[in-house]
Amino acid sequence: MLFATRDERERRVMLNTIGPVWDGNEVWLITAGAGMFAAFPEWYASLFSALYVPLTVALVGLILRAVSIEWRGKVHTARWRGAWTAGIGLGSLIAAFCIGAMLALTSLGLPIDDNGDRVGGPFVWLGAPAIIGGLAVVGFSLAHSATFLALKADGPVRQRSAAFAARWAPLCLVPAAVWALWVQLEHGGNAVSWTLVVLAVVAALFGWGQAKRRREGLAFTGYAAFGLFGVAAIFAGMFPRLLPSTVDPAFDLTLMNAANSPYTLGVMTVITAISLPIILAYQAWSYWVFRRRVTPDMIPDAHIVLPAILRDKDAVAPRA
């Protein structure tokens, strides 16, 4: 929205590609936080209290993006649209960077004591791991969204996004590769995690090759596989740790000492096994319903729409 569009119609094409799905996708972030709280309350308490500042900033970014998407078309002036367009881009950037920083610190460690409390000031988390993680998620978001736009849009947006995915995506994925390798070297790694790292590299090369051939669907699949394999490699490399302590390895939060009771985990497993396939099924169905590309011809010219109450003020007469 900030640098890959040339006019208002192209920006509206971009927005319409995510129109049916963006709001639902944000719910997965809430689900992740709630699931963490229910399954691993010690992990939730230590991570969110230690990273209260970046968590709050990430929420502000998400709110700014959501409000900008909803309010952008409410007033028909270039100044209004420009301000909310900037809000969409900056809100997305802030949220992606902060989420990446928090995930990197989860995998590379935070200064926590034996009680799981942060040691140091509110900005003790701000360092090389946080910056690498933030750049990794921002870079992956740029590369993957370029393949998404090339797959879902048509016209200039498609061409420009496809060119970006073919030319700049490898550079965008470098911080994520550095992060994954850092985790392996920091925690020793294992056969499974290194195998996943190799698969992530292969997926990235596959996606890049398909992007250069302008095969949008396969390019999207390749970069998506890179993200999945990369995240799996990070968590496999730090297993069984959930939150390493940089103060003393004895203070690490692990799957064992941070988990809830077996009864709670059993109930969550049953609920997840029943509900998750249903959720994935109807989300896949919604993607299928809106599978057609968004073309510039589908976007009507901007125009003022009066509320129904103003368009037909005399339709309903007062009754005695």
Side-chain angles (χ1 to χ4, degrees), residues 72-276:
R72 186 177 182 277
K74 301 303 182 183
V75 176
H76 186 47
T77 65
R79 183 177 181 181
W80 176 272
R81 289 194 302 267
W84 293 116
T85 297
I88 294 172
L90 294 176
S92 301
L93 175 64
I94 291 169
F97 185 88
C98 290
I99 290 172
M102 290 187 288
L103 289 174
L105 292 165
T106 300
S107 59
L108 292 170
L110 277 169
I112 56 175
D113 58 22
D114 59 343
N115 194 45
D117 297 326
R118 184 188 65 220
V119 177
F123 293 96
V124 70
W125 56 272
L126 187 57
I131 294 173
I132 289 295
L135 293 177
V137 173
V138 170
F140 175 76
S141 298
L142 286 171
H144 196 38
S145 63
T147 61
F148 177 82
L149 287 170
L151 181 64
K152 292 293 295 179
D154 209 347
V157 171
R158 177 187 181 183
Q159 300 302 323
R160 203 171 294 122
S161 299
F164 181 91
R167 184 174 184 180
W168 296 108
L171 181 63
C172 292
L173 298 180
V174 168
V178 171
W179 175 13
L181 291 173
W182 192 345
V183 170
Q184 308 310 312
L185 298 175
E186 180 74 18
H187 301 303
N190 52 66
V192 173
S193 63
W194 280 110
T195 301
L196 290 168
V197 169
V198 172
L199 290 174
V201 173
V202 171
L205 292 175
F206 173 80
W208 183 35
Q210 300 306 313
K212 292 175 69 175
R213 294 178 177 86
R214 299 298 173 94
R215 297 175 179 175
E216 289 96 348
L218 292 175
F220 179 84
T221 302
Y223 288 139
F226 169 83
L228 290 173
F229 286 134
V231 171
I234 289 170
F235 278 97
M238 58 185 291
F239 181 85
R241 306 170 189 86
L242 292 175
L243 182 59
S245 172
T246 57
V247 176
D248 190 332
F251 302 155
D252 289 354
L253 293 179
T254 66
L255 285 170
M256 288 66 73
N257 63 23
N260 213 326
S261 67
Y263 176 80
T264 300
L265 295 177
V267 172
M268 288 185 64
T269 301
V270 173
I271 294 173
T272 302
I274 295 172
S275 61
L276 187 60

Side-chain angles (χ1 to χ4, degrees), residues 21-34 279 282-283:
V21 296
W22 74 269
D23 211 359
N25 285 348
E26 287 193 351
V27 177
W28 286 106
L29 295 175
I30 301 172
T31 304
I279 296 172
Y282 72 67
Q283 190 163 31

